PDB file of all heavy atoms in Angstrom:
ATOM      1  N   LEU A 138      -9.519  -1.757 -12.692  1.00  0.00           N
ATOM      2  CA  LEU A 138      -9.493  -2.409 -11.383  1.00  0.00           C
ATOM      3  C   LEU A 138     -10.171  -1.545 -10.325  1.00  0.00           C
ATOM      4  O   LEU A 138     -10.827  -2.074  -9.416  1.00  0.00           O
ATOM      5  CB  LEU A 138      -8.059  -2.740 -10.973  1.00  0.00           C
ATOM      6  CG  LEU A 138      -7.421  -3.886 -11.760  1.00  0.00           C
ATOM      7  CD1 LEU A 138      -5.934  -3.989 -11.442  1.00  0.00           C
ATOM      8  CD2 LEU A 138      -8.134  -5.204 -11.494  1.00  0.00           C
ATOM      9  N   ALA A 139     -10.041  -0.229 -10.423  1.00  0.00           N
ATOM     10  CA  ALA A 139     -10.722   0.666  -9.484  1.00  0.00           C
ATOM     11  C   ALA A 139     -12.228   0.431  -9.525  1.00  0.00           C
ATOM     12  O   ALA A 139     -12.898   0.436  -8.485  1.00  0.00           O
ATOM     13  CB  ALA A 139     -10.382   2.124  -9.792  1.00  0.00           C
ATOM     14  N   ALA A 140     -12.763   0.198 -10.713  1.00  0.00           N
ATOM     15  CA  ALA A 140     -14.195  -0.065 -10.856  1.00  0.00           C
ATOM     16  C   ALA A 140     -14.597  -1.382 -10.190  1.00  0.00           C
ATOM     17  O   ALA A 140     -15.771  -1.578  -9.856  1.00  0.00           O
ATOM     18  CB  ALA A 140     -14.588  -0.070 -12.332  1.00  0.00           C
ATOM     19  N   LEU A 141     -13.624  -2.269  -9.976  1.00  0.00           N
ATOM     20  CA  LEU A 141     -13.880  -3.555  -9.313  1.00  0.00           C
ATOM     21  C   LEU A 141     -13.584  -3.500  -7.805  1.00  0.00           C
ATOM     22  O   LEU A 141     -13.661  -4.510  -7.118  1.00  0.00           O
ATOM     23  CB  LEU A 141     -13.023  -4.656  -9.949  1.00  0.00           C
ATOM     24  CG  LEU A 141     -13.316  -4.987 -11.408  1.00  0.00           C
ATOM     25  CD1 LEU A 141     -12.272  -5.944 -11.962  1.00  0.00           C
ATOM     26  CD2 LEU A 141     -14.714  -5.567 -11.547  1.00  0.00           C
ATOM     27  N   GLY A 142     -13.208  -2.320  -7.301  1.00  0.00           N
ATOM     28  CA  GLY A 142     -12.938  -2.165  -5.876  1.00  0.00           C
ATOM     29  C   GLY A 142     -11.498  -2.399  -5.470  1.00  0.00           C
ATOM     30  O   GLY A 142     -11.194  -2.543  -4.288  1.00  0.00           O
ATOM     31  N   ILE A 143     -10.590  -2.430  -6.442  1.00  0.00           N
ATOM     32  CA  ILE A 143      -9.165  -2.594  -6.154  1.00  0.00           C
ATOM     33  C   ILE A 143      -8.503  -1.217  -6.196  1.00  0.00           C
ATOM     34  O   ILE A 143      -8.498  -0.556  -7.237  1.00  0.00           O
ATOM     35  CB  ILE A 143      -8.480  -3.531  -7.171  1.00  0.00           C
ATOM     36  CG1 ILE A 143      -9.116  -4.919  -7.178  1.00  0.00           C
ATOM     37  CG2 ILE A 143      -6.968  -3.603  -6.910  1.00  0.00           C
ATOM     38  CD1 ILE A 143      -8.881  -5.746  -5.936  1.00  0.00           C
ATOM     39  N   GLY A 144      -7.965  -0.787  -5.065  1.00  0.00           N
ATOM     40  CA  GLY A 144      -7.198   0.450  -5.033  1.00  0.00           C
ATOM     41  C   GLY A 144      -5.810   0.210  -5.597  1.00  0.00           C
ATOM     42  O   GLY A 144      -5.252  -0.881  -5.456  1.00  0.00           O
ATOM     43  N   CYS A 145      -5.250   1.208  -6.245  1.00  0.00           N
ATOM     44  CA  CYS A 145      -3.924   1.085  -6.858  1.00  0.00           C
ATOM     45  C   CYS A 145      -3.035   2.226  -6.393  1.00  0.00           C
ATOM     46  O   CYS A 145      -3.507   3.348  -6.183  1.00  0.00           O
ATOM     47  CB  CYS A 145      -4.029   1.114  -8.387  1.00  0.00           C
ATOM     48  SG  CYS A 145      -4.980  -0.240  -9.088  1.00  0.00           S
ATOM     49  N   VAL A 146      -1.753   1.927  -6.280  1.00  0.00           N
ATOM     50  CA  VAL A 146      -0.756   2.926  -5.938  1.00  0.00           C
ATOM     51  C   VAL A 146       0.543   2.561  -6.653  1.00  0.00           C
ATOM     52  O   VAL A 146       0.861   1.384  -6.798  1.00  0.00           O
ATOM     53  CB  VAL A 146      -0.536   3.013  -4.404  1.00  0.00           C
ATOM     54  CG1 VAL A 146      -0.072   1.691  -3.826  1.00  0.00           C
ATOM     55  CG2 VAL A 146       0.421   4.137  -4.042  1.00  0.00           C
ATOM     56  N   ALA A 147       1.259   3.573  -7.115  1.00  0.00           N
ATOM     57  CA  ALA A 147       2.565   3.373  -7.734  1.00  0.00           C
ATOM     58  C   ALA A 147       3.620   4.030  -6.846  1.00  0.00           C
ATOM     59  O   ALA A 147       3.410   5.131  -6.334  1.00  0.00           O
ATOM     60  CB  ALA A 147       2.602   3.975  -9.132  1.00  0.00           C
ATOM     61  N   ILE A 148       4.732   3.325  -6.673  1.00  0.00           N
ATOM     62  CA  ILE A 148       5.823   3.806  -5.832  1.00  0.00           C
ATOM     63  C   ILE A 148       7.117   3.749  -6.633  1.00  0.00           C
ATOM     64  O   ILE A 148       7.410   2.744  -7.274  1.00  0.00           O
ATOM     65  CB  ILE A 148       5.965   2.933  -4.563  1.00  0.00           C
ATOM     66  CG1 ILE A 148       4.674   2.982  -3.740  1.00  0.00           C
ATOM     67  CG2 ILE A 148       7.166   3.376  -3.725  1.00  0.00           C
ATOM     68  CD1 ILE A 148       4.646   2.013  -2.568  1.00  0.00           C
ATOM     69  N   SER A 149       7.868   4.853  -6.600  1.00  0.00           N
ATOM     70  CA  SER A 149       9.208   4.863  -7.185  1.00  0.00           C
ATOM     71  C   SER A 149      10.208   4.887  -6.042  1.00  0.00           C
ATOM     72  O   SER A 149      10.136   5.742  -5.157  1.00  0.00           O
ATOM     73  CB  SER A 149       9.411   6.084  -8.079  1.00  0.00           C
ATOM     74  OG  SER A 149      10.739   6.089  -8.582  1.00  0.00           O
ATOM     75  N   SER A 150      11.112   3.915  -6.067  1.00  0.00           N
ATOM     76  CA  SER A 150      12.128   3.800  -5.016  1.00  0.00           C
ATOM     77  C   SER A 150      13.535   3.990  -5.546  1.00  0.00           C
ATOM     78  O   SER A 150      14.504   3.804  -4.804  1.00  0.00           O
ATOM     79  CB  SER A 150      12.017   2.416  -4.351  1.00  0.00           C
ATOM     80  OG  SER A 150      10.757   2.240  -3.762  1.00  0.00           O
ATOM     81  N   ASN A 151      13.667   4.341  -6.807  1.00  0.00           N
ATOM     82  CA  ASN A 151      15.000   4.472  -7.394  1.00  0.00           C
ATOM     83  C   ASN A 151      15.781   5.635  -6.799  1.00  0.00           C
ATOM     84  O   ASN A 151      15.212   6.658  -6.411  1.00  0.00           O
ATOM     85  CB  ASN A 151      14.900   4.668  -8.910  1.00  0.00           C
ATOM     86  CG  ASN A 151      14.736   3.365  -9.645  1.00  0.00           C
ATOM     87  OD1 ASN A 151      14.738   2.286  -9.057  1.00  0.00           O
ATOM     88  ND2 ASN A 151      14.581   3.458 -10.955  1.00  0.00           N
ATOM     89  N   ASP A 152      17.086   5.479  -6.774  1.00  0.00           N
ATOM     90  CA  ASP A 152      18.000   6.523  -6.321  1.00  0.00           C
ATOM     91  C   ASP A 152      18.016   7.647  -7.354  1.00  0.00           C
ATOM     92  O   ASP A 152      18.597   7.498  -8.437  1.00  0.00           O
ATOM     93  CB  ASP A 152      19.399   5.922  -6.138  1.00  0.00           C
ATOM     94  CG  ASP A 152      20.427   6.948  -5.711  1.00  0.00           C
ATOM     95  OD1 ASP A 152      20.064   8.105  -5.441  1.00  0.00           O
ATOM     96  OD2 ASP A 152      21.620   6.578  -5.659  1.00  0.00           O
ATOM     97  N   ALA A 153      17.366   8.748  -7.033  1.00  0.00           N
ATOM     98  CA  ALA A 153      17.262   9.864  -7.983  1.00  0.00           C
ATOM     99  C   ALA A 153      18.577  10.617  -8.143  1.00  0.00           C
ATOM    100  O   ALA A 153      18.743  11.351  -9.121  1.00  0.00           O
ATOM    101  CB  ALA A 153      16.156  10.825  -7.547  1.00  0.00           C
ATOM    102  N   ASN A 154      19.515  10.449  -7.218  1.00  0.00           N
ATOM    103  CA  ASN A 154      20.820  11.094  -7.386  1.00  0.00           C
ATOM    104  C   ASN A 154      21.556  10.506  -8.582  1.00  0.00           C
ATOM    105  O   ASN A 154      22.157  11.240  -9.372  1.00  0.00           O
ATOM    106  CB  ASN A 154      21.666  10.949  -6.116  1.00  0.00           C
ATOM    107  CG  ASN A 154      21.121  11.784  -4.981  1.00  0.00           C
ATOM    108  OD1 ASN A 154      20.562  12.856  -5.192  1.00  0.00           O
ATOM    109  ND2 ASN A 154      21.263  11.279  -3.765  1.00  0.00           N
ATOM    110  N   ASP A 155      21.507   9.184  -8.719  1.00  0.00           N
ATOM    111  CA  ASP A 155      22.166   8.535  -9.854  1.00  0.00           C
ATOM    112  C   ASP A 155      21.265   8.461 -11.081  1.00  0.00           C
ATOM    113  O   ASP A 155      21.751   8.262 -12.200  1.00  0.00           O
ATOM    114  CB  ASP A 155      22.609   7.116  -9.471  1.00  0.00           C
ATOM    115  CG  ASP A 155      23.840   7.125  -8.566  1.00  0.00           C
ATOM    116  OD1 ASP A 155      24.508   8.179  -8.470  1.00  0.00           O
ATOM    117  OD2 ASP A 155      24.128   6.079  -7.957  1.00  0.00           O
ATOM    118  N   TYR A 156      19.956   8.592 -10.885  1.00  0.00           N
ATOM    119  CA  TYR A 156      18.977   8.500 -11.978  1.00  0.00           C
ATOM    120  C   TYR A 156      18.039   9.701 -11.895  1.00  0.00           C
ATOM    121  O   TYR A 156      16.893   9.586 -11.465  1.00  0.00           O
ATOM    122  CB  TYR A 156      18.209   7.165 -11.893  1.00  0.00           C
ATOM    123  CG  TYR A 156      19.131   6.000 -12.105  1.00  0.00           C
ATOM    124  CD1 TYR A 156      19.844   5.452 -11.041  1.00  0.00           C
ATOM    125  CD2 TYR A 156      19.345   5.493 -13.378  1.00  0.00           C
ATOM    126  CE1 TYR A 156      20.735   4.411 -11.239  1.00  0.00           C
ATOM    127  CE2 TYR A 156      20.235   4.448 -13.584  1.00  0.00           C
ATOM    128  CZ  TYR A 156      20.924   3.915 -12.507  1.00  0.00           C
ATOM    129  OH  TYR A 156      21.807   2.890 -12.714  1.00  0.00           O
ATOM    130  N   PRO A 157      18.513  10.895 -12.308  1.00  0.00           N
ATOM    131  CA  PRO A 157      17.735  12.125 -12.140  1.00  0.00           C
ATOM    132  C   PRO A 157      16.384  12.103 -12.859  1.00  0.00           C
ATOM    133  O   PRO A 157      15.470  12.827 -12.463  1.00  0.00           O
ATOM    134  CB  PRO A 157      18.645  13.227 -12.677  1.00  0.00           C
ATOM    135  CG  PRO A 157      19.828  12.569 -13.282  1.00  0.00           C
ATOM    136  CD  PRO A 157      19.839  11.133 -12.863  1.00  0.00           C
ATOM    137  N   GLU A 158      16.241  11.268 -13.882  1.00  0.00           N
ATOM    138  CA  GLU A 158      14.945  11.170 -14.560  1.00  0.00           C
ATOM    139  C   GLU A 158      13.864  10.665 -13.597  1.00  0.00           C
ATOM    140  O   GLU A 158      12.679  10.907 -13.793  1.00  0.00           O
ATOM    141  CB  GLU A 158      15.055  10.234 -15.768  1.00  0.00           C
ATOM    142  CG  GLU A 158      13.856  10.285 -16.684  1.00  0.00           C
ATOM    143  CD  GLU A 158      14.046   9.443 -17.932  1.00  0.00           C
ATOM    144  OE1 GLU A 158      15.196   9.113 -18.278  1.00  0.00           O
ATOM    145  OE2 GLU A 158      13.025   9.118 -18.562  1.00  0.00           O
ATOM    146  N   ASP A 159      14.286   9.998 -12.510  1.00  0.00           N
ATOM    147  CA  ASP A 159      13.359   9.468 -11.525  1.00  0.00           C
ATOM    148  C   ASP A 159      13.177  10.384 -10.315  1.00  0.00           C
ATOM    149  O   ASP A 159      12.653   9.963  -9.279  1.00  0.00           O
ATOM    150  CB  ASP A 159      13.832   8.082 -11.060  1.00  0.00           C
ATOM    151  CG  ASP A 159      13.765   7.058 -12.182  1.00  0.00           C
ATOM    152  OD1 ASP A 159      12.918   7.202 -13.081  1.00  0.00           O
ATOM    153  OD2 ASP A 159      14.566   6.103 -12.147  1.00  0.00           O
ATOM    154  N   SER A 160      13.574  11.636 -10.439  1.00  0.00           N
ATOM    155  CA  SER A 160      13.422  12.584  -9.333  1.00  0.00           C
ATOM    156  C   SER A 160      11.944  12.836  -9.049  1.00  0.00           C
ATOM    157  O   SER A 160      11.068  12.598  -9.892  1.00  0.00           O
ATOM    158  CB  SER A 160      14.105  13.912  -9.668  1.00  0.00           C
ATOM    159  OG  SER A 160      13.337  14.610 -10.646  1.00  0.00           O
ATOM    160  N   PHE A 161      11.683  13.347  -7.851  1.00  0.00           N
ATOM    161  CA  PHE A 161      10.302  13.638  -7.440  1.00  0.00           C
ATOM    162  C   PHE A 161       9.638  14.612  -8.411  1.00  0.00           C
ATOM    163  O   PHE A 161       8.484  14.425  -8.794  1.00  0.00           O
ATOM    164  CB  PHE A 161      10.305  14.176  -6.007  1.00  0.00           C
ATOM    165  CG  PHE A 161       8.946  14.271  -5.396  1.00  0.00           C
ATOM    166  CD1 PHE A 161       8.250  13.129  -5.040  1.00  0.00           C
ATOM    167  CD2 PHE A 161       8.361  15.505  -5.171  1.00  0.00           C
ATOM    168  CE1 PHE A 161       6.994  13.204  -4.463  1.00  0.00           C
ATOM    169  CE2 PHE A 161       7.104  15.597  -4.594  1.00  0.00           C
ATOM    170  CZ  PHE A 161       6.422  14.450  -4.243  1.00  0.00           C
ATOM    171  N   GLU A 162      10.367  15.643  -8.807  1.00  0.00           N
ATOM    172  CA  GLU A 162       9.789  16.622  -9.751  1.00  0.00           C
ATOM    173  C   GLU A 162       9.471  15.963 -11.091  1.00  0.00           C
ATOM    174  O   GLU A 162       8.420  16.220 -11.689  1.00  0.00           O
ATOM    175  CB  GLU A 162      10.734  17.809  -9.942  1.00  0.00           C
ATOM    176  CG  GLU A 162      10.163  18.895 -10.839  1.00  0.00           C
ATOM    177  CD  GLU A 162       8.787  19.413 -10.408  1.00  0.00           C
ATOM    178  OE1 GLU A 162       8.540  19.582  -9.200  1.00  0.00           O
ATOM    179  OE2 GLU A 162       7.927  19.625 -11.303  1.00  0.00           O
ATOM    180  N   ASN A 163      10.355  15.121 -11.577  1.00  0.00           N
ATOM    181  CA  ASN A 163      10.080  14.419 -12.833  1.00  0.00           C
ATOM    182  C   ASN A 163       8.946  13.417 -12.679  1.00  0.00           C
ATOM    183  O   ASN A 163       8.175  13.191 -13.620  1.00  0.00           O
ATOM    184  CB  ASN A 163      11.341  13.748 -13.357  1.00  0.00           C
ATOM    185  CG  ASN A 163      12.312  14.753 -13.935  1.00  0.00           C
ATOM    186  OD1 ASN A 163      11.918  15.804 -14.428  1.00  0.00           O
ATOM    187  ND2 ASN A 163      13.593  14.453 -13.856  1.00  0.00           N
ATOM    188  N   MET A 164       8.823  12.801 -11.495  1.00  0.00           N
ATOM    189  CA  MET A 164       7.672  11.934 -11.233  1.00  0.00           C
ATOM    190  C   MET A 164       6.372  12.723 -11.367  1.00  0.00           C
ATOM    191  O   MET A 164       5.403  12.255 -11.973  1.00  0.00           O
ATOM    192  CB  MET A 164       7.757  11.336  -9.817  1.00  0.00           C
ATOM    193  CG  MET A 164       8.823  10.296  -9.619  1.00  0.00           C
ATOM    194  SD  MET A 164       8.998   9.841  -7.860  1.00  0.00           S
ATOM    195  CE  MET A 164       7.331   9.315  -7.446  1.00  0.00           C
ATOM    196  N   ARG A 165       6.355  13.923 -10.796  1.00  0.00           N
ATOM    197  CA  ARG A 165       5.170  14.786 -10.863  1.00  0.00           C
ATOM    198  C   ARG A 165       4.825  15.090 -12.325  1.00  0.00           C
ATOM    199  O   ARG A 165       3.658  15.006 -12.733  1.00  0.00           O
ATOM    200  CB  ARG A 165       5.426  16.076 -10.091  1.00  0.00           C
ATOM    201  CG  ARG A 165       4.243  17.050 -10.131  1.00  0.00           C
ATOM    202  CD  ARG A 165       4.508  18.330  -9.350  1.00  0.00           C
ATOM    203  NE  ARG A 165       4.538  18.044  -7.922  1.00  0.00           N
ATOM    204  CZ  ARG A 165       5.584  18.235  -7.121  1.00  0.00           C
ATOM    205  NH1 ARG A 165       6.702  18.726  -7.602  1.00  0.00           N
ATOM    206  NH2 ARG A 165       5.527  17.947  -5.839  1.00  0.00           N
ATOM    207  N   GLN A 166       5.827  15.417 -13.111  1.00  0.00           N
ATOM    208  CA  GLN A 166       5.583  15.738 -14.517  1.00  0.00           C
ATOM    209  C   GLN A 166       5.010  14.546 -15.282  1.00  0.00           C
ATOM    210  O   GLN A 166       4.058  14.700 -16.051  1.00  0.00           O
ATOM    211  CB  GLN A 166       6.870  16.231 -15.177  1.00  0.00           C
ATOM    212  CG  GLN A 166       7.327  17.581 -14.689  1.00  0.00           C
ATOM    213  CD  GLN A 166       8.691  17.986 -15.232  1.00  0.00           C
ATOM    214  OE1 GLN A 166       9.294  17.277 -16.042  1.00  0.00           O
ATOM    215  NE2 GLN A 166       9.204  19.117 -14.781  1.00  0.00           N
ATOM    216  N   VAL A 167       5.567  13.356 -15.060  1.00  0.00           N
ATOM    217  CA  VAL A 167       5.088  12.155 -15.745  1.00  0.00           C
ATOM    218  C   VAL A 167       3.654  11.845 -15.326  1.00  0.00           C
ATOM    219  O   VAL A 167       2.807  11.524 -16.164  1.00  0.00           O
ATOM    220  CB  VAL A 167       6.040  10.961 -15.487  1.00  0.00           C
ATOM    221  CG1 VAL A 167       5.403   9.646 -15.913  1.00  0.00           C
ATOM    222  CG2 VAL A 167       7.354  11.181 -16.216  1.00  0.00           C
TER     223      VAL A 167
END
């Protein structure tokens, strides 16, 4: 899609306190 001129962004909004796998640091690693 980037090649077609569509910019993309992914957002995580999950509560990382209850779901530590979704923490900012784990997001960086993934």
Side-chain angles (χ1 to χ4, degrees):
L138 288 171
L141 295 172
I143 301 291
C145 298
V146 60
I148 300 172
S149 177
S150 299
N151 278 357
D152 178 6
N154 290 327
D155 285 345
Y156 296 86
E158 192 175 341
D159 294 331
S160 73
F161 191 71
E162 183 54 40
N163 286 331
M164 289 172 57
R165 179 180 290 119
Q166 291 173 3
V167 167

